[in-house]
Amino acid sequence: MGKDNIAVGLDIGTTKIVAMIGRQNEYGKLEILGIGKSKSLGVHRGVVNNITQTIQSIQQAIQEAEANSDYKINDVVVGIAGQHIRSIQHSDYISRPNAEEVIGDADIEQLIGQVHKLAMLPGEEIIHVLPQEFRIDGQAEIKEPVGMYGSRVESSFHVVVGQAASIRNVGRCIKSAGLDLSGLTLEPLASADAVLSQEEKEAGVALIDIGGGTTDLAIFKDGIIRHTAVIPFGGNVITEDIKEGCSIIEKQAELLKVKFGSAWPGENKDNEIVSIPGLRGREPKEISLKNLSKIIHARVVEIIEQVYAEIKEYGHEDNKKKLIAGIVLTGGGAELKHIKQLVEYITGMDTRIGYPNEHLAGDSDEEISSPLYATAVGLVMNSIRNNTKSATPLVEMKKEEVVKQPEMKVEEVENFIENEMVTSDNDTESTEGKVKRSFFDKYIEKIKEFLDNAE
């Protein structure tokens, strides 16, 4: 991997937006060149509900990342999540007229194309079809059918479905922020890339990414993605409960959760009390840490039970589907004190906290190796795999006398993009190997086409 391949990941979360610039060093590790983050305004439970505010938050994070790295960002790989994402398992087959010919890419494309035609609910679209094991003339558990002989080719598929409008809104925000969209990745898959080892994926593992607005689940077994789900609750509902239960403002509730919160009420003694300053000269409030952890415990139990119901639905209790590597917790919610012990207690499964530091270069900032940045690190890794040159050094730009555009309002940015910017020609359609790596390669063309034809 050449050092010229600068990759950029953009994690549009409910509480924060993170822009991360990185490249692969000579040892194959990820070197983070710059990071920018901003408070996420206009996103609720992973879904954009205010375009203008989201654009401004994206621009703020991008500008900070550019200032920290001395690179100009051109395009980004974006994480997609939200309560509208769901997955289904589906099986399909094709009959080949000539069994004497070897199975080729065209046959696999035909089979995948059939699945793309499945009827969906109004407003929903199939975002991606991921083949799992193949079966040829009754011979099962074939992972690579290309090059084999057979007349009937069948496969089980993991189909990811989402609201088309929600995904297009994300694309609109990226374009209006003056950026190109080079890829879309399902957020739990990006997090999985950053924190899971290949051995864990083979043995069977459930990745739980506890974000601000949603909790994402991705289950792997035999190295293949088996199940994905998005639970529409995250860290924000815990903060909301603390706010209501202790009659304090949201900012104070968030600070209480981060500094003193625990998912295990037994840890705190009855006489442990924290004093919160009153508003505008009012008396300070005294809050018992035991009560605080009881509030947190109740909500975390609810989130984990919903996730565990999804794990059971996948069939974890079946011996063949058993998740030997247990659970890996990541995301901002994984930093909550004693959450690992609580998850082990509820599920009875081995649990660890997932840090993205395994893939990071040794001299990386300690803050970046926090579970909070797992998705952003995974998105940068995804961008590197796609060989994108997503950012240009400012020094190079000055040499080429590239005139930097002055700061513009959102409307001006939109006009500029539509009238001035020329999108680069996309590469020819990716091979199946690339399809497996990048979850949304085909779908992204549809989004670009839609945005280009939109007003």
Side-chain angles (χ1 to χ4, degrees):
M1 178 61 61
K3 280 208 164 200
D4 290 329
N5 280 345
I6 308 298
V8 182
L10 184 69
D11 174 14
I12 302 175
T14 306
T15 47
K16 67 178 189 330
I17 289 178
V18 178
M20 194 178 273
I21 306 175
R23 68 177 166 208
Q24 206 167 26
N25 67 13
E26 60 268 38
Y27 306 109
K29 295 290 184 186
L30 192 62
E31 196 181 315
I32 303 300
L33 303 169
I35 186 167
K37 61 179 179 182
S38 63
K39 191 170 168 55
S40 183
L41 303 167
V43 180
H44 180 66
R45 289 191 175 160
V47 179
V48 173
N49 64 1
N50 186 318
I51 294 273
T52 311
Q53 284 187 334
T54 306
I55 292 165
Q56 286 166 355
S57 295
I58 290 170
Q59 285 172 328
Q60 198 182 323
I62 292 288
Q63 281 162 10
E64 193 182 312
E66 287 177 338
N68 288 343
S69 64
D70 284 335
Y71 276 83
K72 173 81 181 82
I73 295 172
N74 308 316
D75 59 68
V76 291
V77 167
V78 179
I80 195 91
Q83 58 196 43
H84 62 95
I85 301 283
R86 66 186 182 93
S87 66
I88 50 175
Q89 294 296 121
H90 176 74
S91 293
D92 216 324
Y93 73 93
I94 56 163
S95 295
R96 302 176 68 241
N98 188 358
E100 302 301 310
E101 275 184 20
V102 294
I103 296 162
D105 286 333
D107 295 306
I108 307 304
E109 286 298 322
Q110 186 190 338
L111 185 52
I112 290 170
Q114 270 181 208
V115 183
H116 272 286
K117 290 172 187 163
L118 278 176
M120 289 292 120
L121 296 170
E124 279 192 337
E125 273 186 22
I126 291 177
I127 299 165
H128 198 77
V129 172
L130 192 69
Q132 297 185 319
E133 285 113 342
F134 289 88
R135 194 182 178 94
I136 299 171
D137 293 347
Q139 185 188 339
E141 293 184 14
I142 295 169
K143 288 198 176 176
E144 185 50 84
V146 174
M148 298 180 80
Y149 290 97
S151 58
R152 180 184 164 109
V153 183
E154 52 189 305
S155 175
S156 52
F157 293 93
H158 185 77
V159 184
V160 175
V161 179
Q163 288 287 344
S166 296
I167 296 155
R168 285 168 182 163
N169 284 339
V170 171
R172 183 82 182 157
C173 291
I174 301 300
K175 190 172 176 179
S176 299
L179 301 164
D180 271 349
L181 193 57
S182 66
L184 274 170
T185 301
L186 194 63
E187 290 203 347
L189 292 188
S191 303
D193 277 347
V195 304
L196 297 181
S197 68
Q198 192 54 39
E199 288 86 352
E200 284 177 316
K201 289 180 182 178
E202 289 288 344
V205 66
L207 177 87
I208 304 174
D209 185 344
I210 307 171
T214 59
T215 298
D216 304 330
L217 170 72
I219 295 176
F220 293 85
K221 178 79 177 171
D222 301 326
I224 296 169
I225 180 82
R226 299 292 180 182
H227 188 72
T228 50
V230 178
I231 314 294
F233 302 111
N236 284 3
V237 288
I238 301 171
T239 307
E240 194 65 31
D241 280 7
I242 297 168
K243 186 179 106 174
E244 299 295 328
C246 301
S247 303
I248 53 177
I249 62 169
E250 194 172 329
K251 196 177 175 183
Q252 292 172 334
E254 182 66 28
L255 275 170
L256 261 185
K257 179 182 80 176
V258 172
K259 287 197 169 184
F260 303 102
S262 164
W264 202 270
E267 281 298 309
N268 300 110
K269 298 181 179 70
D270 291 325
N271 59 353
E272 285 183 306
I273 282 168
V274 65
S275 183
I276 301 279
L279 294 174
R280 290 270 177 142
R282 291 177 179 84
E283 288 291 305
K285 266 193 170 59
E286 290 195 338
I287 290 159
S288 153
L289 290 189
K290 198 170 190 77
N291 285 343
L292 174 70
S293 55
K294 275 181 183 171
I295 294 169
I296 294 170
H297 175 82
R299 185 57 92 171
V300 173
V301 166
E302 191 184 336
I303 293 169
I304 300 306
E305 279 178 347
Q306 285 206 38
V307 175
Y308 191 43
E310 288 284 348
I311 294 172
K312 283 199 275 199
E313 193 181 305
Y314 147 77
H316 162 66
E317 284 158 351
D318 179 345
N319 270 342
K320 278 187 178 175
K321 292 182 170 184
K322 201 163 181 64
L323 303 176
I324 297 161
I327 289 172
V328 175
L329 291 173
T330 194
E335 295 185 307
L336 189 62
K337 223 162 124 192
H338 302 118
I339 192 163
K340 172 186 173 293
Q341 290 88 331
L342 181 62
V343 172
E344 282 181 339
Y345 177 75
I346 293 171
T347 63
M349 296 165 75
D350 285 342
T351 305
R352 74 171 179 89
I353 305 294
Y355 298 93
N357 52 0
E358 187 190 322
H359 300 283
L360 296 173
D363 57 353
S364 294
D365 192 337
E366 202 178 312
E367 186 196 10
I368 297 165
S369 59
S370 151
L372 202 68
Y373 294 110
T375 303
V377 169
L379 292 171
V380 175
M381 288 168 67
N382 186 284
S383 182
I384 284 173
R385 274 203 301 271
N386 292 346
N387 289 334
T388 47
K389 188 173 179 181
S390 301
T392 321
L394 289 174
V395 182
E396 237 177 68
M397 291 183 73
K398 280 171 192 164
K399 275 183 196 166
E400 292 165 15
E401 293 180 346
V402 175
V403 181
K404 216 179 167 196
Q405 286 293 325
E407 276 198 27
M408 294 180 276
K409 290 177 185 165
V410 171
E411 307 88 77
E412 290 173 319
V413 171
E414 287 185 21
N415 294 335
F416 169 69
I417 291 156
E418 283 166 11
N419 301 329
E420 302 292 331
M421 287 187 77
V422 182
T423 49
S424 59
D425 292 334
N426 288 300
D427 294 329
T428 51
E429 200 167 17
S430 56
T431 61
E432 205 201 343
K434 201 169 175 186
V435 166
K436 281 181 182 175
R437 285 204 308 269
S438 182
F439 212 64
F440 289 98
D441 271 357
K442 288 180 188 172
Y443 191 72
I444 199 138
E445 296 308 320
K446 275 201 221 169
I447 296 170
K448 283 182 178 174
E449 200 180 307
F450 171 81
L451 290 170
D452 288 342
N453 295 334
E455 291 185 339

